[in-house]
Amino acid sequence: MNEQFLSADIRKKLREFELQVQFTCPACRGRASDASAGSGSSCLGILGPSGCGKSMTLKSIAGIVEPDSGSIILDGRELFNSSRKVNLKPQKRRVGYLFQNYALFPNMTVEENILTGLKAGKRYGEAQQKQRVLEMMERFRLSGLEKRYPAQLSGGQQQRVALARILAYEPEALLLDEPFSAMDTHLRERLRLELASVLSEYQGASVMVTHDRDEAYQLCDNLLLFSKGHVIAAGKTKDIFNDPGSVEAARLTGCKNISRIEKLDEHRVRALDWDNLELVTDKTVTEDVTSIGIRAHDFEPVAEPEGMNRIPVENPKVSEMPFEWYITLQNGLWWKIGKTIHTHSADGLIPKYLRVAPEAILLLKG
């Protein structure tokens, strides 16, 4: 497969806002060793809350809905161009779309479901179609399930059938719409690893939408953060999590400690929402910084009050979770402590003071 990319620059008026999206997604470059460890592939992630335009973006690329204006290009082919009156039908776009519920035909067997993808593509003769089905059955570990119906399969098996059906006709782009939303929690981690393995071998452009930051971090090297139809942050996934840049982006990436600030000097601020706590930052506090953020796992317990960025632990409220303790301080800060197998109580784990390193303080705009 030649060097490929997917680019979209589209607008569509929705009920509550106008979707305005522009991005370019390069082809995946598989790294099997990374996938086996659960790392991301070169998949582009779109992370945002429900109703922000994520799925509408995928449907526009797939040809299920038509944007009001703009263009969509895949490997040099125009799939959509409003000014040139180009709008290819979905079956001519060579785009694979994995729906949230997988959209398997309930009255068809596994092999029949996979075969429908090949027939729709019209690229293979009958003998080639049968051989291709066998190849996909083996690749996705479905051998022995040929005659079963979707209702007789587990959630993971259904996902593999859906991926086999899509990838059988070798689409040039793979679109994943909340692929784990229908899964029970205990299945998701295993299925993430399986999907990471599939993406590591796929050589086309791939885009996954999700509202789960863990999925985005684990499966996607690059990330777009969506809010009300707009991209509010774009870049390498780890870079965005390390430095989200804005209050909204910080919240989308899971930061629970956010406070408005008063700037004291280039490296000192007063946190107005945390009892006017004074903190030293590593990065320069520019005039457009309005807030700071601290991730709940970035606090360090300390015994002494002396030193930079000490925070007294007064009247803490303790909430027990299955594998962690959530500690809420009197000033509103929230801290997370991981449990060990021998941890039966938070008593003795809560120090007199916490410290946050200057480099762990996020400087946020907006």
mmCIF file with all atom_site columns, all heavy atoms in Angstrom, residues 108-120:
data_model
loop_
_atom_site.group_PDB
_atom_site.id
_atom_site.type_symbol
_atom_site.label_atom_id
_atom_site.label_alt_id
_atom_site.label_comp_id
_atom_site.label_asym_id
_atom_site.label_entity_id
_atom_site.label_seq_id
_atom_site.pdbx_PDB_ins_code
_atom_site.Cartn_x
_atom_site.Cartn_y
_atom_site.Cartn_z
_atom_site.occupancy
_atom_site.B_iso_or_equiv
_atom_site.pdbx_formal_charge
_atom_site.auth_seq_id
_atom_site.auth_comp_id
_atom_site.auth_asym_id
_atom_site.auth_atom_id
_atom_site.pdbx_PDB_model_num
ATOM 1  N N   . MET A 1 108 ? -27.055 -13.517 9.757  1.00 0.00 ? 108 MET A N   1
ATOM 2  C CA  . MET A 1 108 ? -25.952 -14.058 8.968  1.00 0.00 ? 108 MET A CA  1
ATOM 3  C C   . MET A 1 108 ? -24.906 -14.668 9.884  1.00 0.00 ? 108 MET A C   1
ATOM 4  O O   . MET A 1 108 ? -24.673 -14.167 10.982 1.00 0.00 ? 108 MET A O   1
ATOM 5  C CB  . MET A 1 108 ? -25.295 -12.973 8.107  1.00 0.00 ? 108 MET A CB  1
ATOM 6  C CG  . MET A 1 108 ? -26.138 -12.454 6.981  1.00 0.00 ? 108 MET A CG  1
ATOM 7  S SD  . MET A 1 108 ? -25.178 -11.298 5.956  1.00 0.00 ? 108 MET A SD  1
ATOM 8  C CE  . MET A 1 108 ? -26.409 -10.840 4.738  1.00 0.00 ? 108 MET A CE  1
ATOM 9  N N   . THR A 1 109 ? -24.256 -15.701 9.411  1.00 0.00 ? 109 THR A N   1
ATOM 10 C CA  . THR A 1 109 ? -23.172 -16.328 10.165 1.00 0.00 ? 109 THR A CA  1
ATOM 11 C C   . THR A 1 109 ? -21.924 -15.450 10.115 1.00 0.00 ? 109 THR A C   1
ATOM 12 O O   . THR A 1 109 ? -21.887 -14.442 9.393  1.00 0.00 ? 109 THR A O   1
ATOM 13 C CB  . THR A 1 109 ? -22.823 -17.704 9.590  1.00 0.00 ? 109 THR A CB  1
ATOM 14 O OG1 . THR A 1 109 ? -22.331 -17.523 8.245  1.00 0.00 ? 109 THR A OG1 1
ATOM 15 C CG2 . THR A 1 109 ? -24.045 -18.614 9.586  1.00 0.00 ? 109 THR A CG2 1
ATOM 16 N N   . VAL A 1 110 ? -20.918 -15.868 10.864 1.00 0.00 ? 110 VAL A N   1
ATOM 17 C CA  . VAL A 1 110 ? -19.659 -15.122 10.879 1.00 0.00 ? 110 VAL A CA  1
ATOM 18 C C   . VAL A 1 110 ? -19.083 -15.006 9.477  1.00 0.00 ? 110 VAL A C   1
ATOM 19 O O   . VAL A 1 110 ? -18.729 -13.908 9.018  1.00 0.00 ? 110 VAL A O   1
ATOM 20 C CB  . VAL A 1 110 ? -18.642 -15.794 11.824 1.00 0.00 ? 110 VAL A CB  1
ATOM 21 C CG1 . VAL A 1 110 ? -17.251 -15.207 11.634 1.00 0.00 ? 110 VAL A CG1 1
ATOM 22 C CG2 . VAL A 1 110 ? -19.084 -15.639 13.276 1.00 0.00 ? 110 VAL A CG2 1
ATOM 23 N N   . GLU A 1 111 ? -18.970 -16.120 8.765  1.00 0.00 ? 111 GLU A N   1
ATOM 24 C CA  . GLU A 1 111 ? -18.365 -16.068 7.428  1.00 0.00 ? 111 GLU A CA  1
ATOM 25 C C   . GLU A 1 111 ? -19.227 -15.271 6.451  1.00 0.00 ? 111 GLU A C   1
ATOM 26 O O   . GLU A 1 111 ? -18.710 -14.584 5.569  1.00 0.00 ? 111 GLU A O   1
ATOM 27 C CB  . GLU A 1 111 ? -18.097 -17.476 6.898  1.00 0.00 ? 111 GLU A CB  1
ATOM 28 C CG  . GLU A 1 111 ? -19.304 -18.356 6.738  1.00 0.00 ? 111 GLU A CG  1
ATOM 29 C CD  . GLU A 1 111 ? -18.932 -19.756 6.279  1.00 0.00 ? 111 GLU A CD  1
ATOM 30 O OE1 . GLU A 1 111 ? -17.723 -20.008 6.055  1.00 0.00 ? 111 GLU A OE1 1
ATOM 31 O OE2 . GLU A 1 111 ? -19.841 -20.596 6.142  1.00 0.00 ? 111 GLU A OE2 1
ATOM 32 N N   . GLU A 1 112 ? -20.548 -15.341 6.613  1.00 0.00 ? 112 GLU A N   1
ATOM 33 C CA  . GLU A 1 112 ? -21.429 -14.560 5.746  1.00 0.00 ? 112 GLU A CA  1
ATOM 34 C C   . GLU A 1 112 ? -21.292 -13.067 6.018  1.00 0.00 ? 112 GLU A C   1
ATOM 35 O O   . GLU A 1 112 ? -21.328 -12.252 5.087  1.00 0.00 ? 112 GLU A O   1
ATOM 36 C CB  . GLU A 1 112 ? -22.879 -15.004 5.937  1.00 0.00 ? 112 GLU A CB  1
ATOM 37 C CG  . GLU A 1 112 ? -23.178 -16.380 5.352  1.00 0.00 ? 112 GLU A CG  1
ATOM 38 C CD  . GLU A 1 112 ? -24.546 -16.898 5.753  1.00 0.00 ? 112 GLU A CD  1
ATOM 39 O OE1 . GLU A 1 112 ? -25.120 -16.393 6.749  1.00 0.00 ? 112 GLU A OE1 1
ATOM 40 O OE2 . GLU A 1 112 ? -25.045 -17.816 5.077  1.00 0.00 ? 112 GLU A OE2 1
ATOM 41 N N   . ASN A 1 113 ? -21.126 -12.687 7.286  1.00 0.00 ? 113 ASN A N   1
ATOM 42 C CA  . ASN A 1 113 ? -20.918 -11.282 7.618  1.00 0.00 ? 113 ASN A CA  1
ATOM 43 C C   . ASN A 1 113 ? -19.637 -10.754 6.989  1.00 0.00 ? 113 ASN A C   1
ATOM 44 O O   . ASN A 1 113 ? -19.615 -9.655  6.436  1.00 0.00 ? 113 ASN A O   1
ATOM 45 C CB  . ASN A 1 113 ? -20.874 -11.103 9.135  1.00 0.00 ? 113 ASN A CB  1
ATOM 46 C CG  . ASN A 1 113 ? -22.201 -10.693 9.735  1.00 0.00 ? 113 ASN A CG  1
ATOM 47 O OD1 . ASN A 1 113 ? -22.618 -9.543  9.637  1.00 0.00 ? 113 ASN A OD1 1
ATOM 48 N ND2 . ASN A 1 113 ? -22.887 -11.660 10.346 1.00 0.00 ? 113 ASN A ND2 1
ATOM 49 N N   . ILE A 1 114 ? -18.569 -11.527 7.083  1.00 0.00 ? 114 ILE A N   1
ATOM 50 C CA  . ILE A 1 114 ? -17.298 -11.100 6.494  1.00 0.00 ? 114 ILE A CA  1
ATOM 51 C C   . ILE A 1 114 ? -17.419 -11.004 4.976  1.00 0.00 ? 114 ILE A C   1
ATOM 52 O O   . ILE A 1 114 ? -16.893 -10.077 4.344  1.00 0.00 ? 114 ILE A O   1
ATOM 53 C CB  . ILE A 1 114 ? -16.159 -12.067 6.888  1.00 0.00 ? 114 ILE A CB  1
ATOM 54 C CG1 . ILE A 1 114 ? -15.962 -12.038 8.411  1.00 0.00 ? 114 ILE A CG1 1
ATOM 55 C CG2 . ILE A 1 114 ? -14.862 -11.689 6.185  1.00 0.00 ? 114 ILE A CG2 1
ATOM 56 C CD1 . ILE A 1 114 ? -14.974 -13.067 8.919  1.00 0.00 ? 114 ILE A CD1 1
ATOM 57 N N   . LEU A 1 115 ? -18.158 -11.928 4.392  1.00 0.00 ? 115 LEU A N   1
ATOM 58 C CA  . LEU A 1 115 ? -18.322 -11.965 2.934  1.00 0.00 ? 115 LEU A CA  1
ATOM 59 C C   . LEU A 1 115 ? -19.069 -10.739 2.421  1.00 0.00 ? 115 LEU A C   1
ATOM 60 O O   . LEU A 1 115 ? -18.809 -10.273 1.308  1.00 0.00 ? 115 LEU A O   1
ATOM 61 C CB  . LEU A 1 115 ? -19.060 -13.237 2.534  1.00 0.00 ? 115 LEU A CB  1
ATOM 62 C CG  . LEU A 1 115 ? -19.088 -13.593 1.039  1.00 0.00 ? 115 LEU A CG  1
ATOM 63 C CD1 . LEU A 1 115 ? -17.659 -13.737 0.494  1.00 0.00 ? 115 LEU A CD1 1
ATOM 64 C CD2 . LEU A 1 115 ? -19.872 -14.885 0.810  1.00 0.00 ? 115 LEU A CD2 1
ATOM 65 N N   . THR A 1 116 ? -19.981 -10.198 3.216  1.00 0.00 ? 116 THR A N   1
ATOM 66 C CA  . THR A 1 116 ? -20.740 -9.027  2.752  1.00 0.00 ? 116 THR A CA  1
ATOM 67 C C   . THR A 1 116 ? -19.817 -7.846  2.481  1.00 0.00 ? 116 THR A C   1
ATOM 68 O O   . THR A 1 116 ? -20.063 -7.066  1.555  1.00 0.00 ? 116 THR A O   1
ATOM 69 C CB  . THR A 1 116 ? -21.809 -8.603  3.783  1.00 0.00 ? 116 THR A CB  1
ATOM 70 O OG1 . THR A 1 116 ? -21.171 -8.302  5.039  1.00 0.00 ? 116 THR A OG1 1
ATOM 71 C CG2 . THR A 1 116 ? -22.850 -9.677  3.963  1.00 0.00 ? 116 THR A CG2 1
ATOM 72 N N   . GLY A 1 117 ? -18.773 -7.707  3.277  1.00 0.00 ? 117 GLY A N   1
ATOM 73 C CA  . GLY A 1 117 ? -17.827 -6.633  3.039  1.00 0.00 ? 117 GLY A CA  1
ATOM 74 C C   . GLY A 1 117 ? -17.106 -6.790  1.716  1.00 0.00 ? 117 GLY A C   1
ATOM 75 O O   . GLY A 1 117 ? -16.886 -5.821  0.990  1.00 0.00 ? 117 GLY A O   1
ATOM 76 N N   . LEU A 1 118 ? -16.755 -7.995  1.372  1.00 0.00 ? 118 LEU A N   1
ATOM 77 C CA  . LEU A 1 118 ? -16.065 -8.264  0.113  1.00 0.00 ? 118 LEU A CA  1
ATOM 78 C C   . LEU A 1 118 ? -16.975 -8.048  -1.082 1.00 0.00 ? 118 LEU A C   1
ATOM 79 O O   . LEU A 1 118 ? -16.566 -7.508  -2.106 1.00 0.00 ? 118 LEU A O   1
ATOM 80 C CB  . LEU A 1 118 ? -15.535 -9.698  0.115  1.00 0.00 ? 118 LEU A CB  1
ATOM 81 C CG  . LEU A 1 118 ? -14.380 -9.974  1.082  1.00 0.00 ? 118 LEU A CG  1
ATOM 82 C CD1 . LEU A 1 118 ? -14.143 -11.459 1.208  1.00 0.00 ? 118 LEU A CD1 1
ATOM 83 C CD2 . LEU A 1 118 ? -13.129 -9.257  0.625  1.00 0.00 ? 118 LEU A CD2 1
ATOM 84 N N   . LYS A 1 119 ? -18.231 -8.456  -0.958 1.00 0.00 ? 119 LYS A N   1
ATOM 85 C CA  . LYS A 1 119 ? -19.177 -8.264  -2.061 1.00 0.00 ? 119 LYS A CA  1
ATOM 86 C C   . LYS A 1 119 ? -19.453 -6.792  -2.304 1.00 0.00 ? 119 LYS A C   1
ATOM 87 O O   . LYS A 1 119 ? -19.592 -6.352  -3.441 1.00 0.00 ? 119 LYS A O   1
ATOM 88 C CB  . LYS A 1 119 ? -20.478 -9.009  -1.754 1.00 0.00 ? 119 LYS A CB  1
ATOM 89 C CG  . LYS A 1 119 ? -20.344 -10.533 -1.841 1.00 0.00 ? 119 LYS A CG  1
ATOM 90 C CD  . LYS A 1 119 ? -21.666 -11.214 -1.550 1.00 0.00 ? 119 LYS A CD  1
ATOM 91 C CE  . LYS A 1 119 ? -21.534 -12.727 -1.717 1.00 0.00 ? 119 LYS A CE  1
ATOM 92 N NZ  . LYS A 1 119 ? -22.807 -13.434 -1.402 1.00 0.00 ? 119 LYS A NZ  1
ATOM 93 N N   . ALA A 1 120 ? -19.517 -6.023  -1.203 1.00 0.00 ? 120 ALA A N   1
ATOM 94 C CA  . ALA A 1 120 ? -19.767 -4.588  -1.343 1.00 0.00 ? 120 ALA A CA  1
ATOM 95 C C   . ALA A 1 120 ? -18.604 -3.904  -2.043 1.00 0.00 ? 120 ALA A C   1
ATOM 96 O O   . ALA A 1 120 ? -18.778 -2.964  -2.816 1.00 0.00 ? 120 ALA A O   1
ATOM 97 C CB  . ALA A 1 120 ? -20.005 -3.960  0.025  1.00 0.00 ? 120 ALA A CB  1
#
